[in-house]
Amino acid sequence: MKWKETIKGLKAYEPGKPIEAVKKEFGLTEITKLASNENPLGCSPKVAAFLRENDFNFALYPDGYAQTMRTAVANHVGISEKEVLFGNGSDEIISIISRSLLSPDTNTVMASPTFSQYKLNAVIEGAEVREIPLNEKREHDLDAMFDAIDEKTAVVWVCSPNNPTGGVTPNAAIERFLEKVPNDVLVVLDEAYIEYVTDPTYQDTLPLFKKHENVLLMRTFSKAYGLAAFRVGYAIGQQSLLSKLEPVRAPFNNTVISQAIIPIALEDQTYIEKCRQINDEGRKQYVAFCEKHQLDYYPSNTNFILFEIKADSNEVFQELMTRGYIVRSGAALGVPNYLRVTIGTAEQNAGLLAQLEEILASKGVLV
Ligand SMILES: *Cc1c(COP(=O)(O)O)cnc(C)c1O
């Protein structure tokens, strides 16, 4: 068949071993998955109750404009309904942006390490990928990213807080960057973890899109809202920008059930606040572990933390799996000898850290 050159050699996303398979292989009864930054507390109990109590007509297509969910999101964020674009997860928005703007005649600029889907989509579209290492403050190096921009640059990705490092790019730095970037270059600000940010200096990013037509903010219900299964992400941008992207979106990309629950999830901000607080406490368990053992870690504003283990991360990943804990090996994320762990409940964190302490002690790397 006449495959695009760009997809030759691509490998399918490896979601990690299914929980059931891991249980069987290692004779375990319980598995704790702290690998994909899902909310360990699940979603708001109000959403769960709504799902138990309601029936849906499965024969009909969903509302392609997602009116009810659109109104709820626009009101929650404080923007107009025309300033929202929905995706089947923000993963689909990344794909919509890439299909709309990237081609073999263009390039795209991103940090390294950062979220893997930006690069994958760019590769599929045949665009050149320019990866710029984080700076010494472990933030996006916006000066070097600016230098990487030329007349063929179509999209710049800024992941804030960044996955897999967890740090925020300060607004002032983004603002200075936007003043210089040509306004025909789209700057995407991926804020998948925005609800978890606790940095007191963090500022609202909405003014950035209001001021700059070439800015798109991206958010999701998959992380703090605990609704990853429903696949809802959204972009915030000026109407002129979104009207270009809308035709590339699949017409019925959010299900009837997803559209029904999002307004309920948004209403329960008490739940989100509670999740943020519990997550903040959980992060401290990892920070304390790292400080106790003098292991380097990336200060996190998210529900995951990237930290040093002074040992082969693929090996430690495997050993943790045999003991019932699934995490992400830093090697797979471009940061060998580190692990990225999703913050779980206090009990899950303590359980994982006890196992990790044993493993690292047996390797003789702990102080
Ligand atoms: C998880 C994640 C996403 C994707 O979220 P979905 O809405 O579930 O597709 C996007 N960006 C970053 C940085 C993420 O970590």
Side-chain angles (χ1 to χ4, degrees), residues 110-113 130-136 138-142 144-145:
M110 63 192 69
S112 174
R130 299 185 173 179
E131 297 176 272
I132 312 297
L134 301 179
N135 64 21
E136 68 286 349
R138 297 181 156 178
E139 289 170 1
H140 279 48
D141 188 344
L142 292 178
M145 288 174 79

Side-chain angles (χ1 to χ4, degrees), residues 89-91 94 115 118 159 163 190 192-193 220 222-223 231-233:
S90 33
D91 278 344
I94 297 169
F115 189 50
Y118 315 143
C159 189
N163 182 358
D190 185 347
Y193 299 95
T220 180
S222 299
K223 305 288 159 62
R231 313 302 305 123
V232 185

Side-chain angles (χ1 to χ4, degrees), residues 36-38 87-94 114-118 158-164 190-193 218-223 227-234 303-304 340:
S36 302
N37 307 335
E38 293 131 327
N88 189 258
S90 33
D91 278 344
E92 193 203 11
I93 299 175
I94 297 169
T114 193
F115 189 50
S116 58
Q117 293 300 306
Y118 315 143
V158 178
C159 189
S160 178
N162 189 42
N163 182 358
D190 185 347
E191 306 184 304
Y193 299 95
M218 227 166 39
R219 299 181 182 175
T220 180
F221 288 95
S222 299
K223 305 288 159 62
L227 296 169
F230 287 97
R231 313 302 305 123
V232 185
Y234 60 100
N303 67 336
F304 58 83
R340 191 196 71 188

Side-chain angles (χ1 to χ4, degrees), residues 152-357:
K152 289 193 166 180
T153 304
V155 184
V156 178
W157 306 89
V158 178
C159 189
S160 178
N162 189 42
N163 182 358
T165 51
V168 176
T169 307
N171 259 26
I174 300 175
E175 185 58 57
R176 276 196 304 277
F177 177 71
L178 290 172
E179 293 299 336
K180 297 188 291 182
V181 171
N183 54 18
D184 62 352
V185 174
L186 178 68
V187 178
V188 181
L189 198 54
D190 185 347
E191 306 184 304
Y193 299 95
I194 187 173
E195 295 85 3
Y196 283 118
V197 175
T198 49
D199 178 350
T201 67
Y202 176 80
Q203 288 174 303
D204 185 9
T205 50
L206 287 184
L208 300 177
F209 103 84
K210 297 219 169 164
K211 187 160 168 202
H212 301 275
E213 194 206 4
N214 58 329
V215 169
L216 198 71
L217 314 179
M218 227 166 39
R219 299 181 182 175
T220 180
F221 288 95
S222 299
K223 305 288 159 62
Y225 282 90
L227 296 169
F230 287 97
R231 313 302 305 123
V232 185
Y234 60 100
I236 301 169
Q238 290 188 19
Q239 195 184 340
S240 52
L241 175 63
L242 298 191
S243 65
K244 293 286 191 209
L245 296 171
E246 270 292 347
V248 185
R249 174 179 72 83
F252 305 113
N253 59 340
N254 294 115
T255 69
V256 169
I257 304 177
S258 307
Q259 294 187 30
I261 60 166
I262 292 306
I264 296 162
L266 281 170
E267 253 173 49
D268 196 357
Q269 287 302 311
T270 316
Y271 180 73
I272 298 299
E273 178 59 33
K274 178 180 133 193
C275 293
R276 176 168 41 241
Q277 275 170 18
I278 293 174
N279 182 66
D280 196 33
E281 292 303 314
R283 253 183 333 222
K284 290 180 187 153
Q285 292 174 270
Y286 291 89
V287 169
F289 178 84
C290 291
E291 289 181 345
K292 177 179 168 197
H293 296 298
Q294 294 175 29
L295 300 169
D296 177 44
Y297 64 92
Y298 285 68
S300 168
N301 265 290
T302 62
N303 67 336
F304 58 83
I305 183 162
L306 182 68
F307 61 96
E308 187 188 25
I309 48 170
K310 296 189 176 160
D312 185 290
S313 50
N314 286 335
E315 253 176 60
V316 174
F317 160 79
Q318 282 294 339
E319 290 187 37
L320 279 170
M321 189 153 71
T322 65
R323 295 160 180 245
Y325 290 90
I326 308 180
V327 299
R328 284 298 294 270
S329 156
L333 303 165
V335 205
N337 303 329
Y338 282 68
L339 289 183
R340 191 196 71 188
V341 178
T342 302
I343 314 292
T345 61
E347 197 188 346
Q348 291 173 329
N349 300 331
L352 171 103
L353 287 171
Q355 296 299 327
L356 184 62
E357 196 162 36

